[in-house]
């Protein structure tokens, strides 16, 4: 078996059944839970010209077969689902509440949990989660306790950053880390906050003859190497497309994860603002093609800054620490190079021939603002290009892995009455739209918990 096939075999994300199997999920219930979400909030996009060009360019460059419109992560080229409906209205997880019984539900907006409250129950070794301390939208402090009904539980779904942070603040985590912040230890677990991963994203900017219509990711190319090729385009209010780009947007929300913690300073933010003001905007009237590494092998960690849940913890992803991630990024950029040189794309780009691949790469580096110290000279290698341009696609995950922080039922190890169900439990972020799987997981675990309760009530 060749290297690509070996890798293909390892790439569970590109094979839905393998991903489900690796997660230890019940396949039948997974197959019921995805459509439950899809029927409510997922639509097929009316494919935009830039996305159609990527589709044709991918096929011309050999990222085949064409798998048409599908939610599955199949090798080749496809068009995926979207949460924008035909009228352009964006649907969210909140829409799923429409399926709930409102009598059983109380939703507090803008409330944040400060910590989980535990109690040692007589005769039990484990501490039990019995409630939470939280702050309401007006800053008022409250406590909420579980009802005495058997089986009542606290389910934490604060995401890959919030859930490990909340467990740590509540006393579940590495002893040394808890001690550092004078947090009373509920349960020592060295894995909380470990195994944080993010999918590195690099992109190439492509100036076009005419302004392309705005588009977000619709077409996806899944290469043999498990690199996802996607694209976005559009002319924002400022008359250029740069503000529609992932790297730029993530910089706008503080792209600090790509620099080491000690360098994350106010000066770094000021530098970002200076860089942003000096972007060569006139050059970037066009679109972007992105390369995202599926299943990165590089991992990092999350540690607390203090015990305030509103303080951002320090998160380090160690992008490209594992050489295979870097190698796959290079493969992705080479694939983009092939796509740009297809007939499809040559129809989009200016005829004056002013944009060699080298020039495109150097322009892309110049426009990228990931706060990593830049080389002043041009990119010397694709490896350097990957390192210089890496940004997040916001698919970060981990910190509360199954088998390490939670068990197979998502119950927090070392405590009772507490589960974590969200992206922090994932060891891999599945494919193009991780939120689809996270929402599916919510439905899946909801059904499982109901079945467990019914089983208990029936004395099974
Ligand atoms: C800018 C951006 C764009 C994205 N685009 C896409 C996309 O196009 N497609 C896609 O599939 N995925 C996308 N993602 C990724 C997707 O949003 C995540 O994978 C998914 O939302 C993870 O779900 P989660 O439940 O684990 O965490 P989240 O959705 O982050 O939910 C966690 C929630 O908990 C809240 N919280 C945290 N701490 C506390 C606390 N102490 N008390 C109370 N509440 C708390 C947070 O405010 C948040 O609302 C994007 C992410 C970002 C940031």
């Amino acid at each position: 078996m060749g290297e690509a096939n070996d890798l293909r075999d390892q790439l569970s994300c590109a094979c839905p059944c393998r991903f489900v199997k690796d997660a230890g999920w019940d396949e039948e219930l997974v197959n019921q839970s995805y459509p439950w979400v899809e029927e409510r909030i997922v639509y097929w996009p009316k494919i935009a010209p830039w996305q159609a060009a990527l589709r044709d360019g991918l096929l011309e460059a050999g990222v085949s077969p064409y798998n048409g419109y599908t939610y599955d992560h199949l090798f080749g080229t496809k068009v995926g689902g979207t949460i924008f409906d035909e009228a352009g209205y964006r649907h969210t997880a909140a829409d799923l509440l429409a399926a709930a019984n409102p009598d059983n539900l109380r939703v507090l907006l803008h409330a944040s949990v400060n910590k989980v409250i535990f109690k040692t129950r007589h005769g039990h070794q484990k501490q039990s989660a019995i409630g939470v301390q939280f702050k309401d939208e007006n800053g008022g402090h409250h406590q909420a306790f579980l009802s005495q009904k058997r089986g009542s539980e606290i389910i934490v779904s604060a995401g890959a950053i919030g859930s490990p942070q909340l467990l740590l603040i509540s006393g579940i985590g590495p002893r040394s880390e808890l001690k550092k912040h004078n947090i009373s230890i509920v349960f020592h677990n060295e894995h909380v906050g470990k195994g944080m991963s993010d999918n590195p994203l690099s992109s190439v900017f492509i100036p076009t003859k005419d302004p392309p219509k705005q588009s977000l990711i619709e077409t996806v190319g899944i290469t043999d190497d498990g690199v996802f090729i996607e694209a976005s385009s559009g002319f924002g209010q400022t008359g250029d497309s740069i503000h529609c780009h992932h790297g730029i947007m993530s910089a706008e929300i503080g792209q600090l994860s790509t620099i080491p913690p000690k360098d994350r300073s106010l000066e770094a933010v000021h530098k970002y603002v200076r860089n942003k003001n000096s972007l060569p905007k006139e050059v970037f009237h066009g679109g972007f093609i992105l390369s995202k590494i599926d299943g990165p092998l590089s991992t990092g960690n999350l540690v607390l800054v203090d015990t305030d849940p509103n303080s951002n913890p320090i998160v380090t992803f160690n992008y490209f620490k594992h050489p295979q991630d870097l190698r796959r990024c290079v493969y992705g950029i080479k694939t983009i190079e092939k796509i740009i040189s297809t007939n499809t794309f040559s129809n989009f780009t200016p005829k004056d021939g002013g944009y060699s691949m080298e020039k495109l790469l150097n322009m892309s580096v110049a426009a990228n603002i990931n706060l990593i110290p830049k080389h002043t000279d041009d990119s010397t290698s694709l490896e350097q290009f990957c390192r210089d341009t890496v940004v997040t696609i916001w698919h970060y995950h981990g910190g509360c892995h199954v088998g390490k922080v939670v068990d197979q039922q998502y119950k927090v190890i070392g405590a009772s009455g507490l589960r974590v169900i969200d992206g922090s439990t994932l060891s891999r972020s599945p494919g193009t739209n991780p939120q689809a799987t996270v929402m599916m997981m919510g439905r899946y675990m909801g059904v499982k918990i109901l079945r467990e309760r019914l089983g208990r009530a029936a004395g099974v």
Side-chain angles (χ1 to χ4, degrees):
M1 201 186 261
E3 194 188 352
N5 280 339
D6 280 343
L7 195 72
R8 212 174 156 126
D9 205 40
Q10 291 166 32
L11 292 171
S12 54
C13 288
C15 167
C17 15
R18 174 83 189 269
F19 181 80
V20 169
K21 215 164 142 205
D22 286 352
W25 288 331
D26 163 353
E27 214 169 302
E28 197 184 329
L29 186 53
V30 166
N31 286 335
Q32 290 162 8
S33 303
Y34 271 118
W36 187 88
V37 175
E38 287 155 8
E39 280 159 17
R40 287 166 173 83
I41 58 168
V42 185
Y43 302 82
W44 293 120
K46 226 184 276 159
I47 189 162
W50 187 251
Q51 300 294 328
L54 178 67
R55 178 197 57 204
D56 299 345
L58 278 160
L59 292 170
E60 223 182 307
V63 184
S64 53
Y66 178 53
N67 295 309
Y69 283 71
T70 177
Y71 299 138
D72 287 338
H73 300 129
L74 305 168
F75 289 105
T77 294
K78 69 158 185 169
V79 177
T82 174
I83 51 174
F84 286 94
D85 65 20
E86 297 83 0
Y89 180 82
R90 185 174 195 167
H91 294 263
T92 73
D95 293 19
L96 301 176
L97 290 176
N101 175 355
D103 296 339
N104 288 341
L105 198 64
R106 187 164 168 210
V107 178
L108 301 184
L109 298 178
H110 307 297
S112 60
V113 174
N114 295 332
K115 71 188 276 197
V116 179
I117 306 166
F118 291 93
K119 187 178 172 185
T120 311
R121 288 197 199 277
H122 188 66
H124 287 78
Q125 274 188 331
K126 284 183 190 173
Q127 293 213 39
S128 304
I130 55 163
V132 294
Q133 287 177 5
F134 73 94
K135 203 163 68 171
D136 66 26
E137 60 182 329
N138 301 315
H141 288 270
H142 308 268
Q143 293 191 338
F145 292 97
L146 291 175
S147 80
Q148 295 303 308
K149 275 190 210 152
R150 267 180 68 202
S152 295
E153 295 173 289
I154 293 166
I155 298 177
V156 173
S157 299
I161 311 282
S163 289
Q165 180 186 26
L166 191 59
L167 288 192
L168 289 166
I169 290 174
S170 305
I172 297 181
R175 183 175 286 112
S176 56
E177 181 64 14
L178 302 179
K179 266 189 167 169
K180 209 176 358 172
H181 297 284
N182 289 324
I183 299 169
S184 310
I185 299 175
V186 171
F187 184 70
H188 159 68
N189 185 340
E190 60 178 314
H191 301 292
V192 179
K194 301 281 167 41
M196 299 293 298
S197 309
D198 194 19
N199 302 76
L201 165 80
S202 292
S203 41
V204 179
F205 298 81
I206 303 156
T208 53
K209 275 188 293 203
D210 304 307
K213 211 177 135 209
Q214 184 168 4
S215 71
L216 287 172
I217 295 163
E218 293 166 353
T219 297
V220 185
I222 304 181
T223 69
D224 269 1
D225 222 9
V227 177
F228 282 50
I229 307 290
E230 303 167 356
S232 59
S233 62
F235 272 45
Q237 288 171 339
T238 51
D240 62 64
S241 54
I242 202 141
H243 299 286
C244 302
H245 174 254
H246 280 79
I248 311 304
M249 288 195 293
S250 40
E252 279 170 359
I253 7 180
Q255 182 55 257
L256 289 167
S257 62
T258 47
I259 55 170
K262 64 179 171 43
D263 298 333
R264 290 173 204 169
S265 60
L266 202 58
E267 170 50 23
V269 174
H270 289 156
K271 198 169 151 202
Y272 152 65
V273 174
R274 283 199 301 275
N275 281 349
K276 188 169 180 256
N277 290 338
S278 63
L279 291 175
K281 289 184 185 134
E282 66 291 352
V283 188
F284 300 121
H285 284 210
F288 318 97
I289 304 185
L290 330 168
S291 149
K292 171 191 132 168
I293 310 300
D294 181 38
L297 298 177
S298 310
T299 57
N301 66 354
L302 173 150
V303 291
L304 297 176
V305 168
D306 55 34
T307 53
D308 181 352
N310 294 314
S311 299
N312 288 327
I314 294 174
V315 186
T316 306
F317 293 116
N318 289 319
Y319 297 105
F320 301 130
K321 190 169 181 196
H322 196 290
Q324 184 160 296
D325 295 347
L326 190 59
R327 194 185 58 69
R328 290 169 69 208
C329 177
V330 169
Y331 182 89
I333 303 303
K334 283 185 177 162
T335 308
I336 294 177
E337 184 172 3
K338 278 193 206 159
I339 296 166
I340 294 172
S341 56
T342 59
N343 290 330
T344 310
F345 269 85
S346 61
N347 292 335
F348 266 95
T349 44
K351 281 275 171 271
D352 60 15
Y355 301 115
S356 64
M357 187 64 186
E358 198 184 345
K359 185 155 185 194
L360 290 178
L361 293 183
N362 286 323
M363 288 193 310
S364 303
V365 173
N368 203 288
I369 37 180
N370 62 8
L371 299 183
I372 294 174
K374 287 284 168 305
H375 293 78
T376 47
D377 51 352
D378 285 354
S379 276
T380 49
S381 68
L382 291 184
E383 281 83 359
Q384 193 59 54
F385 177 81
C386 289
R387 289 188 196 283
D388 282 349
T389 57
V390 64
V391 291
T392 183
I393 192 169
W394 308 294
H395 293 176
Y396 35 80
H397 50 283
C400 297
H401 282 170
V402 175
K404 294 190 167 158
V405 176
V406 295
D407 67 14
Q408 284 290 334
Q409 303 308 317
Y410 295 82
K411 291 181 177 173
V412 174
I413 296 168
S416 60
L418 184 64
R419 301 195 207 219
V420 176
I421 305 176
D422 60 20
S424 70
T425 63
L426 297 173
S427 304
R428 298 178 78 110
S429 163
T432 43
N433 283 308
Q435 62 170 324
T437 297
V438 174
M439 285 189 237
M440 181 288 293
M441 204 163 98
R443 170 67 183 172
Y444 174 93
M445 282 309 298
V447 172
K448 279 220 150 206
I449 292 170
L450 281 178
R451 284 180 186 170
E452 245 180 56
R453 285 185 185 174
L454 286 173
R456 259 200 311 269
V460 180

